């Protein structure tokens, strides 16, 4: 897990005052209409470096190389995320697994 590499707490993204890095991450997700885990996995299949720059903003510089090596972050069947997980098939994904509440309809592509 990369949680020990982060420069800020992930909770920060839900705060109304936000930050430029939170805004950039959310804008990137909205641009591709990512609201479900499966949609994100599909985006990573099409574009493996999608969101890397945005997530690097949250990671301390000394961990950037390790993050690039592990990218895209996919869970293995045991729920672990990292380099080994990205080499195998992604874990089963539940369509109800949403990133933001009330945004499931945005995840449908037309």
């Amino acid at each position: 897990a990369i949680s020990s590499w982060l420069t800020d707490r992930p909770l920060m993204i839900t705060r109304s005052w936000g930050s430029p890095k939170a805004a950039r991450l959310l804008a990137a997700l909205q641009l591709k209409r990512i609201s479900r885990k499966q949609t994100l996995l599909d985006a990573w299949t099409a574009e493996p470096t999608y969101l890397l720059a945005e997530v690097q903003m949250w990671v301390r510089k000394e961990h950037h190389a390790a993050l690039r090596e592990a990218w895209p972050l996919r869970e293995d069947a045991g729920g672990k995320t990292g380099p080994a997980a990205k080499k195998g098939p992604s874990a089963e994904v539940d369509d109800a697994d949403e990133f933001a509440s009330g945004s499931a309809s945005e995840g449908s592509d037309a």
Side-chain angles (χ1 to χ4, degrees):
I2 66 167
S3 59
S4 64
W5 300 353
L6 299 178
T7 58
D8 285 305
R9 296 175 61 195
L11 174 64
M12 183 177 161
I13 204 163
T14 62
R15 301 286 185 217
S16 60
W17 42 267
S19 74
K21 63 185 176 184
R24 184 172 166 182
L25 178 61
L26 290 173
L29 290 167
Q30 289 174 338
L31 184 65
K32 289 195 183 267
R33 300 180 63 159
I34 306 291
S35 61
R36 296 180 300 124
K37 184 176 181 179
Q38 184 59 56
T39 311
L40 176 60
L41 294 174
D42 292 345
W44 277 338
T45 298
E47 184 184 342
T49 59
Y50 173 64
L51 292 182
L52 177 57
E54 290 80 6
V55 172
Q56 273 187 320
M57 294 176 69
W58 291 81
V59 173
R60 289 192 300 270
K61 288 184 183 187
E62 64 264 23
H63 298 294
H64 282 195
L67 179 65
R68 283 190 303 274
E69 177 66 27
W71 200 262
L73 299 174
R74 296 183 185 216
E75 291 179 349
D76 63 14
K80 297 195 186 236
T81 305
K86 79 172 186 172
K87 293 176 185 166
S90 62
E92 296 261 337
V93 176
D94 181 356
D95 281 347
D97 189 7
E98 298 176 19
F99 287 107
S101 63
S103 60
S105 61
E106 292 175 18
S108 60
D109 298 333

